[in-house]
Amino acid sequence: MLNIADARERRFVAAADALLRAAGSLSRRRARPPRNQIERILVLRLERIGDLMMSLPALHVLRQAAPHAQIDLVTGSWNEPLARLITGVDRVETLDARWLSRGAGGLGMAALARRAWRWRRRHYDVAINLEGDIRSNLLLALAGSRWTAGFDMAGGGPVLDEAVAFVAADHTTSNAVALVATALGEALPSRGTRIGTAREAAAALPLAGLRLPPEARARAAQLLHLDAHTTLPLVGIQTGAGRLVKQWPSDRLAAVAARLSTECRATIVLTGSQEDRGAADLITSALPASAAVIDLVGTDDLVTLAAVLERLSLLITPDTGPMHMAAALGTPVVAIFGPSSPDRWGPLATHARILRVELPCSPCNRIRRPPDRCVGHTPDCLASIRVEEVYAAAAELLRDAPAREVAPS
């Protein structure tokens, strides 16, 4: 079943799938290559930072199942610094699709197809698409691999050797692990014991690491003013959500930060992109004069940001890429969710608190095209989350989560 919210787009993709299915019926079905013949694997993960972070367990499972194969990962250029830190990946190539590039830029389908056609020279044995999109499934088919596998949730299933159903009730990471296992003919780890939610997945799935370089850790220690005598909790506040529909009001973040500074003696560490400068300034201006604040908003070095997140005692964040980065690095997280489903996109952290409200329309998962009634202001699913709830979750995690090392590397 196609998982596409827009009715016109769903009808168009369904018609395209019907044509692809008719064309595919003329060709003979191929056989999956034996495990001992798998030498080169292609993986597509073109979307944003959070999507790449949620793919870490699947990439770990892939490496464990094919320990001697070369694994090539194709991802967006925005992910490249982090992708090169992933354990088990041998080669990283960047490919920016126009439909995923924010603002101008990115390649159209014709240019993407030409790039995919050139992948044939590498003679891949298995190609796996961790996206759920008809366009990237078509690119996978053009790569000329002996065996292809991907999701059929947004079309393109007929061009794949193995079209795997995306279970919408399960976490994105659980689905990715199931896809990798299916592609290699492994027993599915999620079929015996359900690990669908973020909390279940965090407890059950391997969380592959990022190889943070020593210089990034040293830079993080410098930015955070860490020394052997640092004892105060370092509480990160992610000031932006990437999309306004996921943004909790900045004045409420400021109120939480002020209480943590006063009542928990926390040092507040502000993170975010340069576009979040206004929110960061609002938060800073609302804090008491005695508050210790480290403003890292606008730091565009993802590797340094990862090293900063690794050192935090806690991160308070909406549903963002930094949320998933922190979770992958073992940092406790307070995640504020509105229109997106935490069961599907929640942080894979063993120490996490997810805050949301139950409304008839939530989670709608309409992030790229929100309902008209939610445009231009904070949607009800976020406006209903109170300062007291977020503060209580943060204070509880600071009290109960294991102490984190803050001494310099």
Side-chain angles (χ1 to χ4, degrees), residues 169-375:
D170 282 1
H171 196 277
T172 296
T173 296
S174 299
N175 277 285
V177 169
L179 171 57
V180 164
T182 301
L184 297 184
E186 290 267 294
L188 300 187
S190 59
R191 293 303 189 249
T193 303
R194 184 176 183 275
I195 50 173
T197 68
R199 184 178 295 276
E200 291 164 343
L205 291 174
L207 294 180
L210 298 174
R211 300 183 302 264
L212 295 185
E215 56 270 23
R217 287 188 165 123
R219 176 61 176 155
Q222 181 183 37
L223 290 171
L224 295 172
H225 313 303
L226 299 183
D227 57 42
H229 305 290
T230 302
T231 57
L232 296 180
L234 296 169
V235 176
I237 303 287
Q238 173 62 26
T239 55
R243 297 180 186 274
L244 290 176
V245 73
K246 296 192 294 182
Q247 180 71 53
W248 200 50
S250 297
D251 59 339
R252 300 192 193 184
L253 281 173
V256 173
R259 286 193 64 181
L260 289 169
S261 172
T262 302
E263 300 179 29
C264 299
R265 299 181 63 240
T267 295
I268 304 301
V269 181
L270 301 179
T271 61
S273 67
Q274 192 56 50
E275 287 73 23
D276 304 322
R277 172 48 54 197
D281 290 344
L282 188 155
I283 293 171
T284 301
S285 65
L287 293 175
S290 59
V293 183
I294 299 173
D295 188 343
L296 301 182
V297 171
T299 300
D300 57 2
D301 180 349
L302 283 179
V303 179
T304 299
L305 175 60
V308 166
L309 294 174
E310 182 188 42
R311 293 299 188 90
L312 296 180
S313 309
L314 169 74
L315 178 68
I316 300 174
T317 175
D319 174 19
T320 61
M323 176 191 75
H324 291 293
M325 290 169 62
L329 293 163
T331 300
V333 171
V334 172
I336 303 170
F337 270 73
S340 53
S341 168
D343 280 349
R344 185 165 170 180
W345 291 295
L348 294 183
T350 52
H351 298 285
R353 299 291 183 273
I354 296 174
L355 298 176
R356 64 175 298 269
V357 295
E358 192 70 43
L359 297 178
C361 58
S362 176
C364 66
N365 295 323
R366 294 178 61 181
I367 309 303
R368 294 177 181 172
R369 297 179 183 177
D372 291 341
R373 67 180 181 278
C374 298
V375 175

Side-chain angles (χ1 to χ4, degrees), residues 248 252 255-256 259 355 385-395:
W248 200 50
R252 300 192 193 184
V256 173
R259 286 193 64 181
L355 298 176
I385 298 175
R386 298 179 294 117
V387 167
E388 292 76 12
E389 297 173 280
V390 177
Y391 170 77

